[in-house]
Amino acid sequence: MIKIENVTKTFGDFTAVDAVNLEIGKGEVFGFIGPNGAGKTTTIKMLATLSLPTEGTLSVGGFDIVRQPREVRRIIGYMPDSFGVYEDLLVWEYLDYFAALYQVEPSRRKGIINDVLELTDLTIKYNAQVMSLSRGMKQRLCLAKTLLHDPDVLLLDEPASGLDPHARIEIRELIRELCRMGKTILVSSHILTELADFCSSIGIIERGKMLAAGRIDEITAALSGNVVIEITVKGDPLAAIQVLEEREDITRATSDGRVVHAEFTGATDDVDQVLEYLINRGVRLTAFTPASADLEDIFLKITRGAVA
């Protein structure tokens, strides 16, 4: 649904996006990860036909963003990282105005407005003034506006920016529901915990360069074959570390209180051999858990922190 081929975007002498390549399949939820200033918003604006690439091509749903911008706009819903709302309008008036801009027939508008308000849990605010809404509700209202024309592709730029924890959870649940509806979603963030629960694939960008893209498990496997084992010991953790370091398939072992973290280079199915080895050597333990890499692990391994 989204294809970016060798795209570069420059502003004078500054290169915001540098030879980026990316493909996102239909129905995917793609997490676009990177520190502030990495090039996420610039890339999304090009996909939304609001900015043209200096080099390369971008297409959405098979339509080229330069040659076929009108066709692209019909199938995308774009939620920018910062947006304005017409605060002197009522909620339904605000949505009715944008439905008219999306060329939704007048006879269908009320039903569609009711549908998007129900989806975003704003039905109770139908006749409320926009200016009376909390920031989290305004964020959901902007998402409701983005859905009025039932787009196939959603471009969500920092959708939970500036929200309190409760509002962040509501936005995440909304994105999950949109995924279940079959939407293709590109969602950007520099807060990794916002994306960890629902993304099917990720892309990590820094200083305009795409450092890695694909499924989380595939990226983890490509980075390293190591499995991190978390071992909670009853006795001296240093004694457990000495036993672990006797094995050639343990490259590093460190302790954090009574918890020992060991990097195992063998196959995942052979982790039980380490447990058996510790027990046979008399190490007393209360927990032994192979820990899968999370987004933070992947991000820290790939990026150099040049921007942050």
Side-chain angles (χ1 to χ4, degrees):
M1 288 296 286
I2 294 176
K3 190 171 185 179
I4 300 174
E5 296 181 281
N6 201 32
V7 167
T8 295
K9 178 66 177 180
T10 59
F11 298 94
D13 295 332
F14 175 69
T15 301
V17 177
D18 191 358
V20 164
N21 290 278
L22 177 65
E23 289 190 20
I24 303 174
K26 182 177 176 60
E28 278 194 67
V29 180
F30 183 87
F32 203 19
I33 300 170
N36 290 327
K40 303 186 300 295
T41 294
T42 301
T43 303
I44 291 173
K45 282 185 175 179
M46 286 189 285
L47 288 170
T49 74
L50 298 177
S51 181
L52 299 178
T54 305
E55 296 178 9
T57 60
L58 303 93
S59 63
V60 181
F63 300 112
D64 185 273
I65 67 109
V66 177
R67 294 183 290 105
Q68 301 163 295
R70 288 184 178 274
E71 287 81 356
V72 171
R73 291 168 190 165
R74 290 191 182 100
I75 65 170
I76 66 169
Y78 170 52
M79 182 175 174
D81 57 343
S82 60
F83 56 89
V85 291
Y86 302 108
E87 297 191 340
D88 56 337
L89 296 179
L90 302 180
V91 166
W92 77 266
E93 291 174 328
Y94 175 83
L95 294 175
D96 186 70
Y97 171 71
F98 279 98
L101 293 181
Y102 284 128
Q103 299 182 339
V104 176
E105 296 88 343
S107 61
R108 297 177 55 229
R109 286 179 199 164
K110 185 173 182 179
I112 290 173
I113 289 170
N114 287 335
D115 288 343
V116 297
L117 286 176
E118 182 177 356
L119 179 62
T120 54
D121 198 23
L122 286 174
T123 302
I124 196 172
K125 297 296 182 179
Y126 185 89
N127 284 306
Q129 281 193 313
V130 173
M131 66 183 299
S132 71
L133 301 182
S134 66
R135 178 175 174 82
M137 287 183 178
K138 287 180 180 177
Q139 206 89 331
R140 282 188 276 152
L141 179 60
C142 184
L143 183 55
K145 177 263 293 181
T146 302
L147 298 170
L148 284 167
H149 60 306
D150 193 24
D152 295 324
V153 178
L154 295 174
L155 307 173
L156 310 180
D157 194 2
E158 304 275 3
S161 176
L163 300 184
D164 60 55
H166 187 270
R168 286 179 184 275
I169 292 170
E170 289 177 339
I171 289 291
R172 286 204 299 268
E173 290 303 316
L174 269 173
I175 294 174
R176 286 194 184 96
E177 180 61 28
L178 292 168
C179 176
R180 288 190 285 267
M181 293 168 63
K183 306 291 187 186
T184 301
I185 304 172
L186 186 155
V187 53
S188 77
S189 182
H190 64 280
I191 302 174
L192 304 186
T193 52
E194 289 180 356
L195 305 177
D197 295 338
F198 55 82
C199 289
S200 54
S201 54
I202 61 169
I204 298 176
I205 188 170
E206 187 176 41
R207 300 191 71 181
K209 290 185 177 293
M210 187 70 76
L211 303 182
R215 297 187 63 84
I216 296 174
D217 54 353
E218 293 173 352
I219 294 175
T220 304
L223 283 175
S224 172
N226 295 0
V227 175
V228 178
I229 309 170
E230 293 183 357
I231 306 161
T232 304
V233 299
K234 291 191 72 172
D236 182 5
L238 294 179
I241 289 174
Q242 289 175 355
V243 172
L244 288 166
E245 288 177 342
E246 296 172 2
R247 296 181 60 94
E248 293 183 356
D249 52 11
I250 299 294
T251 58
R252 190 165 68 100
T254 59
S255 66
D256 179 12
R258 292 189 179 277
V259 179
V260 175
H261 303 273
E263 290 191 12
F264 175 66
T265 60
T268 304
D269 291 343
D270 295 333
V271 169
D272 63 314
Q273 295 177 8
V274 179
L275 174 60
E276 183 180 357
Y277 188 79
L278 287 168
I279 293 172
N280 290 339
R281 292 298 306 275
V283 177
R284 300 177 65 195
L285 49 91
T286 58
F288 183 92
T289 309
S292 59
D294 59 19
L295 282 185
E296 289 185 355
D297 297 328
I298 296 170
F299 184 77
L300 290 173
K301 281 188 176 182
I302 291 177
T303 62
R304 298 178 300 279
V307 172

